[in-house]
Amino acid sequence: MKRLTTLLAAMLSLTAMAEVNYQVVPLPQSIVLDKSGNKTQLVKGQAVAYPAGNALMKRNAEFAREFLGLQPKEAAKKETAPVVLTLGLQSQNPDAYKITVGKKGIEIQGASESGVFYGIQTLRKSVAGEAGDTLSLPWAVVTAEPRFQYRGTMLDCARHFFPIEYIKTHIDILALHGINKFHWHLTDDQGWRFEVKSLPELAQKGSRRPHTIIGSNVGLHETDNAIYDDTPEEGYYTQDQMREIVTYAAERYITVIPEIDLPGHMVAALSVYPELGCTGGPYEVLPYWGISPDVLCAGNPKTLEFIKTVLGELCDVFPSKLIHIGGDESPRDNWKVCPKCQAKMKELKLDKEEQLQSYITKEVEKFLSTKGRQPIGWDEILEGGISDNAVVMSWRGFNGGIEAARLHHHVIMAPTSHCYIDYYQLRNHDIQPHSIGGYVPLSKIYSLDPVPQELTPEESQYIMGAQCNLWTEYVLSPSHVQYMLLPRLAAMSEVQWMQPQDKNFEDFTRRLVPLENLYHQLGYKYCSAYE
Ligand code: ACM
Ligand code: ZN
């Protein structure tokens, strides 16, 4: 634990804050300071010009107002303001940016509008420790582009519900770190949070559990003796609210990827529609944790009808091409004894129950493709034969991702060993809130290379990126979410943006100090120690 050294470094950084050096998190690829040592003044209230007629660049200029105190100004010519936002940076990578600070002022140029946004974030982080209305910026050319096109973070809003206002703050936090995918886990055994207009009871009833187990349950068979709290957990997102989030995220160049977890993790839905389970129920929205044996019945034709209804509305709300369909932890024991499931296997000439899950995934993929969408599934979707176009999210280690890449399927790496930020971040449990267990310290996340050595260069092209996952069985409030997320998200951000040979943990922890000062200024809760 390095709390004292962190504090000391914070004090040193405050005394040295006069010197802007552009060494933010994630660290840009290249920072070339001008040898002259000259500086340009950035003054609050100065104009920031954006190209006429470009709504996204106008919005970027508004972010420059919010983050840097500048005054947006539509300009036909770029040299008409002290700070200019421009497009046209030559790069294959749409997220690339270049910041030039020199005699003519400050230019933030992007390969596309998203690149300009990331450049503004870098400038914001560069000056975050500076006080006063006039800031001195050394002449420099700063360039960066992210290593991966998919830079994600998952938040589980099913186990605990987080209000829409917090989801916006959460997206602000992702944007600060250059994340561009928000994987929104909306349904699980313990709560259904996605409004389906044609099935109104699903969210109304499925989003509520009257109480929740206190502490960890040891196993599903022991929950009868468990102690429960008296606090109902409830809440769901209306379609209007989710559309608002899609827009809010898009302005920050973040795509919202919703997840409906199927065919397992469905008990909240089964509690409303028990006929969709193999046993017929009754079921209750689960007030405890773990893997439930109760999953959707694969042999009941109503099951696919239900899935299509839900996913149809999901696609109406979320424009993302990628739609997460879960697929994890779906026990097949009920399928083995269910007459409907067994009849379905006979009809399809299947000899293993895992092929029944593949059958569902393939049907779902067909349905999504009629809407121009593509499924992502947890790595269990490889079992029983993967569908044609599914993206694999490798969570039980790297092997699922390796197998998928070799099958020429795209992969997102999120192994528990490096990416599960519901795990403890410090060895000493007494000084952290109760968690699900495990141990993923800051240094472990930082050490991740999402591209396994075993893959050939050709296979490596299938690794789209990485993400960290925050499950919330034991995460009870927005500030608790932030404590689990920060600063581990900062480490993930360097995994996502930097080339592996440029990463250096010691250097990262020095650059973390001003970022944590910014967390403090913004009122974000974070874990101030790290290992
Ligand atoms: C998972 O953590 N069950 C995907
Ligand atoms: Zn069945």
Side-chain angles (χ1 to χ4, degrees):
M1 195 191 5
K2 305 214 174 153
R3 190 189 170 88
L4 278 178
T5 40
T6 305
L7 280 175
L8 198 60
M11 287 158 65
L12 287 172
S13 103
L14 283 174
T15 48
M17 74 185 179
E19 207 52 51
V20 170
N21 62 16
Y22 310 105
Q23 291 181 22
V24 300
V25 174
L27 184 67
Q29 263 83 23
S30 166
I31 300 170
V32 179
L33 293 172
D34 193 273
K35 288 198 183 68
S36 69
N38 286 341
K39 292 186 176 166
T40 291
Q41 306 295 311
L42 179 69
V43 184
K44 293 256 157 72
Q46 271 178 337
V48 53
Y50 60 90
N54 186 324
L56 293 175
M57 292 294 271
K58 181 176 185 203
R59 188 69 188 94
N60 275 335
E62 283 159 6
F63 286 119
R65 168 165 41 207
E66 183 183 333
F67 302 150
L68 295 161
L70 300 172
Q71 193 55 43
K73 171 185 169 187
E74 187 173 71
K77 286 219 170 19
K78 66 176 187 177
E79 63 271 20
T80 55
V83 181
V84 293
L85 308 181
T86 61
L87 294 170
L89 180 65
Q90 292 305 306
S91 171
Q92 298 295 319
N93 192 326
D95 295 335
Y97 67 85
K98 176 179 177 186
I99 303 171
T100 308
V101 182
K103 199 164 31 188
K104 289 200 227 152
I106 300 168
E107 178 181 9
I108 302 176
Q109 188 180 35
S112 75
E113 289 85 354
S114 61
V116 174
F117 179 73
Y118 297 126
I120 293 168
Q121 289 281 9
T122 288
L123 198 59
R124 168 202 197 184
K125 286 180 268 192
S126 297
V127 302
E130 307 294 300
D133 287 344
T134 302
L135 310 177
S136 287
L137 302 187
W139 287 7
V141 178
V142 177
T143 53
E145 61 174 54
R147 180 180 180 202
F148 293 106
Q149 52 152 311
Y150 184 108
R151 306 182 297 279
T153 298
M154 185 279 283
L155 181 64
D156 168 13
C157 292
R159 270 53 176 271
H160 281 98
F161 176 77
F162 304 103
I164 211 79
E165 296 72 32
Y166 175 66
I167 301 301
K168 289 184 182 169
T169 303
H170 194 78
I171 284 167
D172 291 341
I173 295 174
L174 304 193
L176 178 67
H177 293 84
I179 305 292
N180 69 347
K181 309 283 185 230
F182 171 48
H183 168 181
W184 202 359
H185 185 79
L186 286 167
T187 64
D188 218 302
D189 298 317
Q190 294 82 8
W192 184 281
R193 312 286 173 213
F194 172 68
E195 180 192 35
V196 180
K197 285 193 188 285
S198 59
L199 301 169
E201 292 194 328
L202 184 51
Q204 281 160 15
K205 294 186 175 164
S207 64
R208 186 173 197 280
R209 58 175 192 266
H211 55 212
T212 301
I213 195 166
I214 293 175
S216 306
N217 51 300
V218 216
L220 290 187
H221 301 297
E222 291 157 75
T223 49
D224 289 346
N225 301 323
I227 302 168
Y228 293 91
D229 65 19
D230 293 322
T231 318
E233 178 70 19
E234 58 195 326
Y236 65 89
Y237 305 108
T238 67
Q239 293 196 359
D240 284 347
Q241 287 175 327
M242 290 181 285
R243 286 197 174 92
E244 200 179 313
I245 290 299
V246 166
T247 304
Y248 190 88
E251 286 180 345
R252 290 151 183 83
Y253 301 93
I254 293 173
T255 304
V256 184
I257 299 177
E259 179 184 357
I260 301 293
D261 202 345
L262 63 94
H265 289 284
M266 267 286 169
V267 179
L270 293 180
S271 74
V272 186
Y273 303 109
E275 68 275 19
L276 299 180
C278 292
T279 66
Y283 309 98
E284 58 167 354
V285 179
L286 290 189
Y288 50 80
W289 319 116
I291 302 173
S292 171
D294 291 313
V295 306
L296 290 173
C297 175
N300 184 344
K302 282 190 181 166
T303 292
L304 274 176
E305 232 176 83
F306 168 79
I307 292 173
K308 289 177 188 176
T309 301
V310 170
L311 292 183
E313 292 200 25
L314 193 80
C315 290
D316 286 345
V317 174
F318 294 98
S320 168
K321 179 167 169 68
L322 293 172
I323 300 288
H324 206 304
I325 59 165
D328 60 321
E329 300 177 326
S330 186
R332 294 152 192 151
D333 306 285
N334 287 355
W335 291 356
K336 285 189 180 142
V337 292
C338 167
K340 290 195 192 93
C341 287
Q342 288 303 309
K344 194 68 183 175
M345 284 179 66
K346 226 182 221 159
E347 177 198 324
L348 300 171
K349 301 192 173 49
L350 307 178
D351 39 44
K352 289 194 198 121
E353 278 71 21
E354 62 197 38
Q355 295 169 309
L356 212 42
Q357 183 166 342
S358 290
Y359 152 73
I360 295 179
T361 310
K362 285 173 187 169
E363 289 297 313
V364 170
E365 177 172 302
K366 261 192 257 169
F367 175 74
L368 288 177
S369 71
T370 66
K371 307 212 164 265
R373 314 304 177 92
Q374 186 183 1
I376 307 180
W378 299 108
D379 57 44
E380 285 93 331
I381 63 165
L382 285 155
E383 297 164 7
I386 188 168
S387 56
D388 290 341
N389 289 312
V391 174
V392 171
M393 190 166 272
S394 192
W395 73 280
R396 296 176 299 176
F398 293 86
N399 286 343
I402 292 170
E403 183 186 340
R406 288 184 174 149
L407 292 169
H408 293 183
H409 280 256
H410 282 103
V411 171
I412 297 149
M413 280 296 182
T416 51
S417 54
H418 295 73
C419 297
Y420 269 45
I421 56 171
D422 54 333
Y423 291 4
Y424 286 107
Q425 51 197 320
L426 305 172
R427 274 203 185 82
N428 181 355
H429 292 185
D430 297 342
I431 55 172
Q432 299 161 87
H434 180 67
S435 118
I436 197 160
Y439 176 52
V440 176
L442 188 70
S443 55
K444 184 77 180 184
I445 297 204
Y446 198 81
S447 71
L448 173 67
D449 185 347
V451 181
Q453 300 283 326
E454 294 94 317
L455 295 181
T456 64
E458 203 245 330
E459 291 161 351
S460 301
Q461 305 295 316
Y462 289 93
I463 310 294
M464 296 167 72
Q467 73 173 38
C468 44
N469 292 334
L470 183 46
W471 301 105
T472 60
E473 285 94 332
Y474 305 99
V475 179
L476 311 181
S477 65
S479 66
H480 193 168
V481 167
Q482 292 173 357
Y483 174 88
M484 301 306 277
L485 191 67
L486 303 175
R488 289 186 286 187
L489 190 64
M492 177 51 74
S493 140
E494 296 224 330
V495 168
Q496 294 166 332
W497 274 77
M498 291 177 69
Q499 297 301 323
Q501 67 275 12
D502 296 336
K503 281 162 54 193
N504 177 312
F505 185 67
E506 286 301 314
D507 185 61
F508 163 69
T509 57
R510 279 192 288 277
R511 289 179 286 106
L512 195 54
V513 175
L515 183 63
E516 290 188 344
N517 287 338
L518 183 56
Y519 294 162
H520 180 74
Q521 282 173 37
L522 294 168
Y524 301 156
K525 177 98 177 146
Y526 63 97
C527 178
S528 60
Y530 65 82
E531 293 168 353

